[in-house]
Amino acid sequence: MIIVKTTKEFNQARKALDGTIGFVPTMGALHEGHISLIKKARTDNDYLIVSIFVNPTQFLEGEDLDDYPHKDEADIKICELSKVDILFVPTIDQMYKNDELSIAAPVIRGYVLEGAKRPGHFDGMLQIVMKLLNLVAANKAYFGKKDAQQLSLIMQMVRNYYIQTEIIPCDIIRDERGLALSSRNMHMNPEEKSRALCLSRALRTATDMVTSGNLNSLSIKEQMLGILQDADRVEYVAIVNREFQETEEIEIGNTIVLVAAWVGKPRLIDNVWI
Ligand code: PAF
């Protein structure tokens, strides 16, 4: 594995790869969720590139940028064991210059739910993903469905800007009790982790209601809110179509049920695709 820190070094290492390339962009603190993306990218492609960059432009003022977990040594080990070919770990000044061209998330899909709660977050996320996709020029890039709105916006950006990389959505990875894996979970104590299970429990209830024929969004959301009382604060429960428009009825094959809630220090998100 080659570890590179500058775009110049990256370009040199990238030029030497002759074959299909899979790319997994991350912010580090790698867990089983990332590892599942890395494994899939490894299997699908001749070469594997992973980036680790905690992108400051996608954190709003007062968010957890300074607290964002760093596990550099463990991350390097995981990448080595996963047979990564190039690990790209740029510094901020490698990725950003003064007076940058900016990218704005689309008005509807980019400014509801996560976009409404974190205005500007998706602009910064799209900006770095655009840079990385162009720099890496991979055949395929892998993103988790846990960040459903992020995934949907990246797919739209790739379509709108004719980016040649194929985006591969990957399933949410959960621990044995059902908690969706996230780097932020490490900020919860055992009691908070137990309470955080209410997110996946609420989503399971939604799926069960749909399976038993109840497609009414309002009644599903009411049931979910009851279960989510274990969280410290619920930010939203939403039932949307794949365009991120709220729907009154679940349409099987075109619906995402999403939840965002605070449990202890972290703000957690989770969802299920129906
Ligand atoms: O999902 C993430 O970890 C980040 O948003 C991403 C896609 C690596 C961009 O910084």
Side-chain angles (χ1 to χ4, degrees), residues 25-27 55 58 125 128-129 143 147 150:
T26 78
M27 297 205 299
N55 172 41
Q58 70 189 74
M125 180 283 292
I128 194 65
V129 172
F143 293 88
D147 293 299
Q150 161 172 292

Side-chain angles (χ1 to χ4, degrees), residues 23-28 34 37 51-59 68 96 118 121-122 124-130 132 142-144 147 150-151 154 183-184:
F23 174 45
V24 182
T26 78
M27 297 205 299
H34 299 108
L37 307 183
S51 65
I52 297 180
F53 179 64
V54 181
N55 172 41
T57 66
Q58 70 189 74
F59 287 80
Y68 199 82
Y96 290 107
R118 305 177 68 194
H121 161 69
F122 285 131
M125 180 283 292
L126 290 171
Q127 184 180 28
I128 194 65
V129 172
M130 168 82 105
L132 290 169
Y142 298 77
F143 293 88
D147 293 299
Q150 161 172 292
L151 173 62
I154 291 170
S183 306
R184 291 179 169 110

Side-chain angles (χ1 to χ4, degrees), residues 7-30:
T7 52
K8 193 168 166 211
E9 285 169 340
F10 179 83
N11 284 328
Q12 270 164 8
R14 167 69 181 81
K15 264 193 208 128
L17 306 184
D18 183 17
T20 59
I21 293 173
F23 174 45
V24 182
T26 78
M27 297 205 299
L30 303 180

Side-chain angles (χ1 to χ4, degrees), residues 67-271:
D67 272 0
Y68 199 82
H70 288 265
K71 291 167 121 198
D72 302 349
E73 272 177 39
D75 288 350
I76 292 173
K77 198 80 216 147
I78 289 171
C79 289
E80 249 164 27
L81 292 171
S82 309
K83 301 194 172 12
V84 170
D85 293 290
I86 303 177
L87 175 60
F88 181 45
V89 281
T91 50
I92 294 177
D93 60 350
Q94 284 295 309
M95 296 315 291
Y96 290 107
K97 307 287 175 235
N98 287 332
D99 198 23
E100 287 252 342
L101 190 139
S102 56
I103 294 182
V107 175
I108 300 172
R109 206 185 301 203
Y111 280 88
V112 294
L113 305 176
E114 287 301 291
K117 292 291 170 196
R118 305 177 68 194
H121 161 69
F122 285 131
D123 301 353
M125 180 283 292
L126 290 171
Q127 184 180 28
I128 194 65
V129 172
M130 168 82 105
K131 281 171 183 274
L132 290 169
L133 289 180
N134 285 330
L135 182 72
V136 174
N139 297 80
K140 295 179 179 170
Y142 298 77
F143 293 88
K145 285 183 175 176
K146 187 165 92 63
D147 293 299
Q149 208 173 347
Q150 161 172 292
L151 173 62
S152 161
L153 287 164
I154 291 170
M155 290 178 100
Q156 181 177 353
M157 181 174 74
V158 163
R159 277 197 307 276
N160 288 174
Y161 288 93
Y162 312 107
I163 297 171
Q164 294 302 306
T165 303
E166 186 188 350
I167 303 301
I168 310 291
C170 299
D171 287 341
I172 298 175
I173 305 296
R174 303 177 177 283
D175 72 8
E176 60 290 345
R177 295 201 292 168
L179 181 65
L181 298 190
S182 160
S183 306
R184 291 179 169 110
N185 290 353
M186 69 174 71
H187 291 310
M188 286 187 288
N189 64 32
E191 184 271 332
E192 288 162 347
K193 274 196 180 152
S194 293
R195 284 194 292 115
L197 295 175
C198 68
L199 275 79
S200 53
R201 218 168 39 240
L203 292 166
R204 230 174 11 253
T205 298
T207 317
D208 290 346
M209 288 175 80
V210 172
T211 312
S212 53
N214 187 343
L215 300 178
N216 183 272
S217 299
L218 198 62
S219 70
I220 293 173
K221 284 195 281 189
E222 270 170 18
Q223 285 290 328
M224 290 177 69
L225 281 167
I227 296 166
L228 286 164
Q229 282 181 5
D230 278 355
D232 292 319
R233 183 157 58 89
V234 178
E235 277 204 339
Y236 61 75
V237 172
I239 298 185
V240 299
N241 61 23
R242 301 280 157 94
E243 307 295 306
F244 277 86
Q245 292 147 342
E246 302 240 11
T247 56
E248 284 176 19
E249 284 261 301
I250 295 234
E251 190 193 336
I252 294 173
N254 189 32
T255 299
I256 311 176
V257 183
L258 306 111
V259 49
W262 292 88
V263 181
K265 206 170 169 198
R267 176 180 183 279
L268 305 174
I269 58 171
D270 198 355
N271 65 69

